[in-house]
C-alpha cells in the first residue's frame, strides 16, 4: 500500500516527536517516498539530521522556507508533491493555526498550498487538550472532510499527568496513512452501518479448557478500520482476539463475546440496523455437551469428549435477511477454495463470500497478509493477490459496493 507513494510528514514541537522517527522509518521501509517538514519548535526536540537519515532525503525547516530560490516556492512544490500530509504531533498551536487558516511557517503554508488528505495526530498535556478553544479547533477540523484525526490516547504523559493527550502509536498512524492513501480521503461509505464479527469463539469444557481456533482477529479488525476510515459506522462483535483495538477509533462500537451462542445473540441483536454484515469470525463448530463450573482434575477428563454442534450464525442471518441488506461470509479453506466457497454462498443465502486459503504461512490465520477470491451470488469473481489484511479489507468493500445496488 506504500510502495512509491508520496508521503509528507509535518512534525510539530512536542515530546512525542521522538515517536515520529519510528513512523518515518516504517514508511521508508514500506517503500514510500518520504519528505519531512519540521516546525521551529520541532527542531528543539529532534534534529533535521535524524529525520533526513531516516527518510533518506533532506529534511525541511523554516530556514529553507525563507531561502531565496531559483525554482518554485518550497511550500507550493511540497504541497503539490504530497499524496498525503500527516502531521504528528499536532500541537495546540499548530492546531489553532490550521483551524483558522493561518500560514506563518513552512508547515502551515504547505497545508494551505496542498489539496491532499491531511491526517492529524495531536499530542499535548491533558489540560491543554481539554481547553474549550482547543476542542473547538479540533471539532472545526473534524467537520472538514479533508482532515482525519487520530487520537490522542489516554495514559501517563511526559508531564506526569495521567489523562488524554498521548499521541497515537506510530503503528496506528501508519495504518491510517495506508487507508487514506488507498481511498484518497474519500468517505464513500458514509451513512452505511456495517456489522462485522471478528476473532475466534471459545467453547469451554471447564473454566480453563476450551475448544477454539487460532484466529487472531486481524482480518475482522482490518475490516472495521477500513470501514470507519471510509465514513461507515461499525458494530464489531468481537470474540477473543490477539490484537488490541485503540479506544479512540471513532464510530466503532465494540461488543465483546466469548462463545458462539453469545456471538449469535449479539449478531442477531445488531443485524436489523446493519446495511452490510461481514462474518469474519472463526466460529467453533462444536461445543462440549457438558460444561463443568469448576476445574476438572486431570483424572476426571474423559478419553472421548461428547460434543454437539453450535448453530450456524451466518445461515441464521441469511434466513432473516431483508432485501436491502447485504450478507458476506468468509470461507477459510485448504486445497480447492472455490468449490466449497460456492456451496457455502448458496447454502447460507449470502450475497458474496471471501474464499481464502489457510494452508499457507503468508495467508489466513494469524498472518499480516492474506490472499483471497471474492465471489458474489451472480457468479462474479475477483482474485486478490497476496496483500496486507487492511488492503484486502478495502478491496472487499470495493467489491461489495459493486455487488448489487441494494443498499
Ligand atoms: N460460520 C457461522 N457459524 C458457524 C460456523 C461458521 O456463522 N457455526 C460462518 C463463518 O464465520 C464464515 C462462514 O460461516 O463466515 C463459513 O465458515 P467455515 O468455517 O468456512 O464453514 P462452515 O460453514 O463451518 O463449514 P465447514 O467447517 O464444513 O467447512
Amino acid at each position: 500500500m506504500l510502495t512509491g507513494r508520496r508521503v509528507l510528514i509535518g512534525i510539530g514541537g512536542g515530546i512525542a516527536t521522538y515517536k515520529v522517527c519510528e513512523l518515518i522509518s516504517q514508511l521508508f521501509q514500506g517503500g514510500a517516498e518520504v519528505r519531512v517538514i519540521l516546525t521551529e519548535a520541532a527542531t528543539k526536540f529532534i534534529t533535521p539530521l535524524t529525520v533526513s537519515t531516516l527518510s533518506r532525503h533532506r529534511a525541511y525547516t523554516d530556514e529553507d522556507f525563507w531561502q531565496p530560490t531559483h525554482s518554485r516556492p518550497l511550500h507550493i512544490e511540497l504541497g503539490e508533491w504530497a499524496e498525503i500530509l500527516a502531521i504528528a504531533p499536532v500541537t495546540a498551536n499548530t492546531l489553532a493555526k490550521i483551524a483558522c487558516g493561518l500560514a506563518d511557517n513552512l508547515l502551515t503554508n504547505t497545508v494551505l498550498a496542498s489539496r491532499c488528505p491531511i491526517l492529524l495526530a495531536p499530542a499535548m498535556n491533558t489540560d491543554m487538550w481539554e481547553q474549550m478553544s482547543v476542542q473547538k479547533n479540533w471539532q472545526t477540523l473534524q467537520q472538514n472532510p479533508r482532515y482525519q484525526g487520530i487520537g490522542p490516547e489516554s495514559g501517563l504523559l511526559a508531564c506526569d499527568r495521567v489523562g488524554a493527550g498521548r499521541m497515537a502509536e506510530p503503528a496506528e498512524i501508519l495504518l491510517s496513512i495506508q487507508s487514506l492513501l488507498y481511498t484518497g480521503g474519500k468517505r464513500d461509505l458514509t451513512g452505511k452501518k456495517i456489522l462485522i464479527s471478528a476473532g475466534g469463539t471459545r467453547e469451554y469444557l471447564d473454566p480453563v479448557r476450551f475448544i477454539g481456533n487460532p484466529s487472531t482477529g486481524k482480518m475482522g479488525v482490518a475490516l472495521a478500520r477500513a470501514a470507519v476510515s471510509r465514513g461507515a459506522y461499525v458494530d464489531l462483535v468481537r470474540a477473543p482476539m490477539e490484537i488490541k483495538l485503540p479506544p479512540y477509533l471513532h464510530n466503532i462500537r465494540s461488543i465483546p463475546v466469548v462463545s458462539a451462542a453469545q456471538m449469535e445473540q449479539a449478531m442477531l441483536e445488531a443485524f436489523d440496523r446493519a446495511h452490510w454484515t461481514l462474518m469474519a469470525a472463526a466460529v467453533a463448530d462444536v461445543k462440549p455437551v457438558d460444561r463443568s463450573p469448576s476445574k476438572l482434575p486431570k483424572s476426571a477428563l474423559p478419553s472421548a469428549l461428547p460434543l454437539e454442534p453450535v448453530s450456524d450464525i451466518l445461515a441464521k442471518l441469511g434466513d432473516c435477511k431483508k432485501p436491502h441488506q447485504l450478507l458476506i461470509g468468509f470461507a477459510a479453506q485448504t486445497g480447492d477454495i472455490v468449490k466449497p466457497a460456492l456451496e457455502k454462498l448458496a447454502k447460507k443465502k449470502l450475497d458474496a463470500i471471501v474464499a481464502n486459503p489457510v494452508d499457507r504461512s503468508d495467508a489466513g490465520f494469524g498472518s499480516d497478509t492474506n490472499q483471497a477470491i471474492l465471489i458474489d451470488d451472480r457468479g462474479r469473481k475477483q482474485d486478490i493477490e497476496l496483500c496486507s489484511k487492511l488492503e484486502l479489507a478495502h478491496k472487499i468493500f470495493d467489491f461489495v459496493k459493486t455487488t448489487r445496488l441494494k443498499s
Side-chain angles (χ1 to χ4, degrees):
M1 293 179 104
L2 291 171
T3 308
R5 306 304 297 266
R6 301 185 304 277
V7 180
L8 180 59
I9 301 289
I11 307 181
I15 187 59
T17 50
Y18 80 94
K19 288 197 199 169
V20 181
C21 297
E22 178 63 25
L23 173 67
I24 295 168
S25 174
Q26 294 286 321
L27 284 164
F28 180 81
Q29 286 175 44
E33 280 185 57
V34 190
R35 303 285 181 270
V36 183
I37 299 172
L38 294 111
T39 63
E40 199 186 331
T43 63
K44 312 276 189 225
F45 290 89
I46 50 169
T47 67
L49 177 62
T50 313
V51 166
S52 60
T53 307
L54 292 170
S55 65
R56 317 300 199 269
H57 197 276
R58 62 172 300 198
Y60 299 105
T61 64
D62 285 351
E63 247 176 67
D64 302 302
F65 186 46
W66 297 114
Q67 283 298 318
T69 171
H70 297 295
S71 59
R72 297 165 74 218
L74 185 56
H75 60 297
I76 308 292
E77 289 282 358
L78 287 172
E80 286 177 4
W81 176 87
E83 289 182 82
I84 179 170
L85 168 54
I87 309 181
V90 178
T91 59
N93 190 35
T94 297
L95 184 67
K97 287 183 196 174
I98 299 174
C100 294
L102 283 179
D104 66 346
N105 60 16
L106 177 57
L107 178 58
T108 46
N109 273 281
T110 307
V111 166
L112 294 187
S114 59
R115 290 191 176 273
C116 62
I118 296 183
L119 181 69
L120 301 170
M124 63 196 77
N125 158 275
T126 308
D127 287 326
M128 294 171 77
W129 173 247
E130 288 175 353
Q131 286 299 324
M132 202 195 284
S133 53
V134 174
Q135 285 303 307
K136 202 170 138 222
N137 291 333
W138 181 242
Q139 294 312 326
T140 302
L141 291 177
Q142 295 287 294
Q143 279 155 24
N144 182 332
R146 190 178 171 212
Y147 296 92
Q148 191 162 311
I150 176 167
E153 288 184 26
S154 285
L156 176 64
L157 306 180
C159 55
D160 286 341
R161 179 78 190 264
V162 178
R166 279 169 65 93
M167 192 179 80
E169 289 304 318
E172 291 293 330
I173 299 176
L174 186 69
L175 287 168
S176 292
I177 289 175
Q178 287 172 316
S179 273
L180 281 170
L181 283 171
Y182 187 92
T183 60
K186 283 200 193 78
R187 302 198 186 194
D188 57 344
L189 301 185
T190 300
K192 284 266 179 294
K193 294 198 175 74
I194 303 185
L195 171 61
I196 297 168
S197 71
T201 59
R202 293 179 180 180
E203 303 301 333
Y204 278 84
L205 168 65
D206 69 11
V208 297
R209 301 180 182 93
F210 60 83
I211 296 174
N213 58 69
S215 170
T216 54
K218 286 180 182 172
M219 193 62 235
V221 168
L223 285 164
R225 280 181 192 284
V228 293
S229 78
R230 294 166 76 148
Y233 180 88
V234 170
D235 276 336
L236 180 67
V237 176
R238 41 178 304 177
M241 55 172 68
E242 253 175 42
I243 50 170
K244 279 209 291 193
L245 197 65
Y248 54 76
L249 270 186
H250 300 298
N251 296 335
I252 299 185
R253 182 170 70 120
S254 185
I255 306 155
V257 297
V258 176
S259 65
Q262 288 170 354
M263 179 168 276
E264 179 180 356
Q265 193 187 343
M267 292 297 288
L268 287 170
E269 270 169 26
F271 187 60
D272 248 7
R273 69 188 203 130
H275 297 113
W276 298 353
T277 297
L278 296 100
M279 189 79 196
V283 185
D285 291 315
V286 288
K287 63 178 181 186
V289 171
D290 298 311
R291 177 179 173 165
S292 165
S294 55
K295 186 187 167 192
L296 294 168
K298 219 185 316 183
S299 56
L301 289 174
S303 56
L305 194 60
L307 300 172
E308 62 187 352
V310 302
S311 68
D312 190 317
I313 304 168
L314 195 55
K316 278 204 171 163
L317 298 177
D319 283 337
C320 54
K321 188 177 65 166
K322 307 228 167 58
H324 72 281
Q325 293 181 302
L326 291 180
L327 185 60
I328 297 95
F330 281 70
Q333 303 295 154
T334 55
D336 175 13
I337 65 172
V338 174
K339 192 166 168 277
L342 281 172
E343 283 164 11
K344 289 171 193 178
L345 177 83
K347 194 169 138 213
K348 304 192 190 205
K349 304 188 183 106
L350 308 178
D351 297 281
I353 193 155
V354 180
N356 68 295
V358 283
D359 47 3
R360 300 172 44 151
S361 60
D362 54 3
F365 291 125
S367 71
D368 289 323
T369 49
N370 216 347
Q371 188 209 350
I373 301 176
L374 314 182
I375 309 167
D376 73 10
D377 61 343
R378 290 175 301 167
R380 203 166 53 110
K381 246 192 238 166
Q382 188 183 336
D383 271 296
I384 310 286
E385 299 282 302
L386 193 71
C387 61
S388 73
K389 286 187 169 168
L390 183 64
E391 186 169 359
L392 175 58
H394 278 294
K395 289 188 168 159
I396 291 170
F397 286 126
D398 289 346
F399 186 80
V400 172
K401 247 177 73 177
T402 52
T403 281
R404 196 179 295 172
L405 297 173
K406 270 184 176 178
S407 47

